[in-house]
Amino acid sequence: MTVLAIDIGNSRIKWGCHDRGRWVDLGFADHDAAPALASAWARLPRPAHAIGSNVAAASVARNLGGLLEAHGIPVRWISSKPTQCGVRNRYLEPSQLGTDRWAALIAARAMHRGACVVVAAGTAVTVDALSADGDFLGGLILPGLSLMSAALARDTARLPRDPGIYTGFPTATADAIATGVVDAVAGAVERFACRLRERAGMPVTLIGTGGAIGSVAPHLAHDVRVVENLVLEGLLIIAAEA
C-alpha cells in the first residue's frame, strides 16, 4: 500500500511517499507552497491515503487536506492519545502534546526498546524522555539555534547578525553567539539525559532528528542515533495500526 506522510512543522512542510516497504520520495516546502506540492505529488505513485501531523495553523492543514481530497486522496490528521503503538502518554493533558512529538516518540519506541531521549532540533528544540517500558515521562521545549541567535541580534544592542563558527574558546562575538547557542541546547540535552539515566538506572540512548541536529550532535557527550525523518516514520507506524 502506498501512503503519503505529511509533517507540518513550525516553519515548513516535510513529506514522504512510502511504497512497498520503502520511501520512494521525500521532500519539503514552505507553508504556502501548495501548488508546488501538487506538482511534486502528481509524479508519485498514487497513495491509497495520506496521514499527517500539524503543529502549525489549522488553515495550513485545511488547505493541504482540500488539495488531497480534490485528487481523491483521503487524509487523516493525527492527535496525541493516552496510549498508542506501545507508547503511554504521561502528559497531564495527553491531547496537548504536539503531534510531531507524539509521532517521533512512537517511531523511537519502534526503533529502540530501552530508555531513550528523543531530541528534535528545528525551529524549536524538544527533548523528550521515553522509558524502557514505553512511558513518555515528559520533556523540554526550548528555542532552536536560529531563534536564539535572532533574539540576541534583535534585542541586544550592537551584537552582530553575522554567522559565527563553533569554537571551544570564542574570541570573536559572532563565534561567541554561535558557540553559546549550540552549548545551550547541548547542555539541556545532556542534563536531561543524565536525569533519565538516574531515574531509569540504566544507560540511555539518544535519538535525534530535525534540520539542526547535525549542528548539535557532535557536541554531545552521548552518541546520537540520527534519524532524518523520525516524525514521518512515526506517522507510518500510526497509519499501519489503523
Side-chain angles (χ1 to χ4, degrees):
M1 179 186 295
T2 305
V3 178
L4 179 64
I6 304 167
D7 171 21
I8 305 177
N10 293 300
S11 301
R12 63 182 184 177
I13 302 163
K14 289 163 279 187
W15 58 271
C17 183
H18 196 270
D19 183 52
R20 301 178 186 179
R22 65 186 183 93
W23 294 107
V24 296
D25 206 352
L26 294 157
F28 64 89
D30 293 335
H31 284 175
D32 59 355
L37 286 174
S39 176
W41 293 346
R43 297 191 297 268
L44 300 174
R46 183 175 179 81
H49 61 92
I51 185 166
S53 160
N54 178 36
V55 297
S59 59
V60 182
R62 283 198 303 271
N63 290 341
L64 282 186
L67 174 69
L68 291 165
E69 289 168 8
H71 289 81
I73 302 169
V75 59
R76 169 191 170 197
W77 300 103
I78 70 164
S79 58
S80 298
K81 299 182 179 300
T83 183
Q84 191 173 33
C85 299
V87 180
R88 288 176 295 277
N89 188 347
R90 301 303 188 192
Y91 235 38
L92 292 178
E93 294 288 343
S95 64
Q96 295 301 305
L97 178 68
T99 52
D100 53 349
R101 295 169 70 189
W102 184 236
L105 286 160
I106 286 171
R109 177 62 177 170
M111 295 173 183
H112 179 73
R113 292 293 174 171
C116 69
V117 172
V118 181
V119 182
T123 304
V125 176
T126 57
V127 189
D128 291 324
L130 190 60
S131 77
D133 294 327
D135 285 341
F136 164 56
L137 302 174
L140 312 176
I141 303 174
L142 57 153
L145 306 182
S146 295
L147 276 181
M148 281 193 272
S149 298
L152 283 169
R154 183 186 66 243
D155 297 330
T156 306
R158 300 179 66 184
L159 287 184
R161 293 178 180 269
D162 300 333
I165 60 171
Y166 185 97
T167 181
F169 297 93
T171 55
T173 303
D175 296 346
I177 294 172
T179 305
V181 298
V182 169
D183 279 354
V185 172
V189 172
E190 290 288 355
R191 184 176 176 85
F192 197 71
C194 288
R195 194 179 302 156
L196 178 59
R197 185 174 66 244
E198 290 172 1
R199 173 172 176 148
M202 64 176 66
V204 168
T205 294
L206 266 60
I207 298 176
T209 193
I213 193 64
S215 297
V216 177
H219 306 292
L220 294 168
H222 291 76
D223 290 335
V224 183
R225 179 179 177 183
V226 175
V227 182
E228 290 188 6
N229 299 292
L230 192 66
V231 174
L232 298 183
E233 295 286 354
L235 289 171
L236 197 65
I237 293 167
I238 294 169
E241 181 195 54

